[in-house]
Amino acid sequence: DTELVSFLFTAQDKDRRLLTTLKKEDIRVLEDGQPQNVFTFQRQVDLPLSLAILIDVSASQERTLPEEKRAAKSFIQDVVRPDKDEVAVISFTGESTLEQGLTSNLSRLGRSIDRVQFVPPTGYLGGGVVVPGTPPVSGGNQTVAGSTAIWDAIYVTSDEVLGDSPERTRRAIILLTDGKNTYGSKRLEDAVQAALKAETVVYAIGIGDNYFGGVDENSLRRVSEQTGGRAFFPRDEVELQRAFDQIQIEMRSQYMVAYEPSNPKKDGTYRKVEVQLVNSELARQRVKVTHKQGYFAKPASVPPPKSNN
């Protein structure tokens, strides 16, 4: 009847090299500021992966989309183990499109990425220029086509795609966008909460066109760090490939901690978690620990109504 809390974290030195020799006594775990009794500490290198690649296909990505697609296909070829891992592909503007549901079939995944394309709104000339044309049937549909709903895309992917993936898998979203949210009903905070509830980490790759104002680095760092991921801001295709390579390494080399929370209440509240280094030598080396910043406790179960019979 007690709730077990477990999560993954990575540790890197000041040169961003992953540390693979941490021991249980090197860390302590806090929940809402209170030390917790960690009874499981182990390095995880072979967890099955459930990934979703979210690709922004709004106007601001028109010129960078081909590079993104090449890097995404290469990543899938390098990472996916057909007997263990699965990937979904989602494109989004003002609304999200499931190009391919979770699968380990490399051919299907490759074809789904090939299908991803920028579809210009009516009257679009390129470079962000729109001229009056034949009015669309629905003005709302046209607004959606020319906008970017990043937080909606993360929310629906966490809730409806990765939320149904098997237990004991490493769930992650790889988000390719400039971070400029211009549409949608969800806020950044909503996206983070949905990801945390689905035990999903967000890795953001910030790619933008300077004509459209570049990249909103602050928003992409926030959504990544609050879910336990990282944000990357590649300047060319080589750095883009390196970002994908780094994500692969991090997902394959992490530590798992598990504990029974000292707060036993099943009240559905948000609990803040923190991993602190207690090894003074690691602290002196400026080792940085990355993990999700909290979780939602399970709500109390509601008993079934009594029968009148």
Side-chain angles (χ1 to χ4, degrees):
D1 292 332
T2 59
E3 179 180 359
L4 178 67
V5 176
S6 64
F7 61 90
L8 298 163
F9 72 91
T10 58
Q12 295 176 312
D13 64 17
K14 60 183 176 60
D15 297 317
R16 290 191 175 275
R17 291 189 296 259
L18 287 167
L19 298 185
T20 59
T21 57
L22 281 184
K23 300 182 291 295
K24 180 180 177 180
E25 53 266 29
D26 291 332
I27 67 159
R28 69 173 177 174
V29 176
L30 306 180
E31 179 176 301
D32 288 339
Q34 300 300 313
Q36 304 297 307
N37 181 26
V38 174
F39 60 81
T40 297
F41 177 91
Q42 56 189 220
R43 187 170 173 228
Q44 297 281 356
V45 295
D46 201 34
L47 277 178
L49 302 177
S50 292
L51 309 178
I53 299 179
L54 268 62
I55 305 176
D56 183 348
V57 292
S58 61
S60 60
Q61 304 299 104
E62 179 184 7
R63 291 194 289 186
T64 58
L65 188 57
E67 297 174 9
E68 296 171 28
K69 291 171 62 174
R70 283 194 294 270
K73 289 181 70 173
S74 176
F75 173 79
I76 289 173
Q77 291 290 336
D78 291 342
V79 170
V80 175
R81 300 165 295 181
D83 58 332
K84 285 190 175 183
D85 307 324
E86 54 186 4
V87 180
V89 177
I90 297 97
S91 63
F92 67 94
T93 52
E95 58 186 8
S96 301
T97 300
L98 182 64
E99 306 286 354
Q100 173 61 57
L102 286 168
T103 182
S104 58
N105 187 303
L106 295 178
S107 297
R108 289 181 183 174
L109 289 167
R111 289 195 298 269
S112 69
I113 292 177
D114 288 337
R115 287 196 303 269
V116 172
Q117 60 181 323
F118 164 65
V119 179
T122 301
Y124 185 76
L125 295 181
V129 179
V130 180
V131 298
T134 303
V137 174
S138 167
N141 287 345
Q142 192 67 4
T143 300
V144 170
S147 58
T148 312
I150 303 169
W151 315 135
D152 284 34
I154 294 175
Y155 187 97
V156 72
T157 299
S158 300
D159 186 47
E160 298 183 14
V161 180
L162 295 179
D164 293 332
S165 58
E167 294 292 328
R168 300 289 300 166
T169 64
R170 173 65 165 151
R171 302 183 185 98
I173 288 173
I174 299 174
L175 174 66
L176 292 151
T177 182
D178 59 8
K180 295 182 180 295
N181 191 86
T182 64
Y183 189 78
S185 61
K186 304 301 182 184
R187 303 169 300 159
L188 185 152
E189 292 77 13
D190 299 323
V192 169
Q193 288 194 17
L196 290 176
K197 287 180 178 179
E199 298 290 328
T200 296
V201 173
V202 177
Y203 289 98
I205 300 180
I207 298 178
D209 191 327
N210 288 332
Y211 185 90
F212 291 89
V215 176
D216 184 348
E217 296 188 6
N218 181 56
S219 292
L220 295 181
R221 283 195 177 97
R222 285 174 60 198
V223 74
S224 298
E225 292 174 0
Q226 290 182 32
T227 58
R230 281 180 56 196
F232 301 84
F233 304 102
R235 291 169 294 183
D236 53 39
E237 194 166 357
V238 173
E239 290 190 2
L240 174 60
Q241 185 61 56
R242 288 176 183 164
F244 272 107
D245 292 343
Q246 186 64 28
I247 291 170
Q248 176 187 173
I249 292 170
E250 289 196 12
M251 288 191 301
R252 297 288 192 211
S253 183
Q254 302 194 343
Y255 296 93
M256 185 187 77
V257 293
Y259 63 92
E260 182 181 323
S262 56
N263 179 357
K265 294 181 181 178
K266 295 183 178 181
D267 53 10
T269 58
Y270 180 76
R271 313 277 178 84
K272 183 179 180 181
V273 297
E274 182 181 3
V275 177
Q276 293 183 340
L277 294 172
V278 295
N279 183 319
S280 58
E281 177 62 22
L282 295 177
R284 188 183 67 79
Q285 295 174 11
R286 291 183 287 170
V287 170
K288 180 181 179 182
V289 175
T290 302
H291 57 85
K292 67 179 182 180
Q293 296 181 1
Y295 74 98
F296 288 90
K298 292 181 180 179
S301 58
V302 179
K306 292 182 179 180
S307 172
N308 293 325
N309 296 331

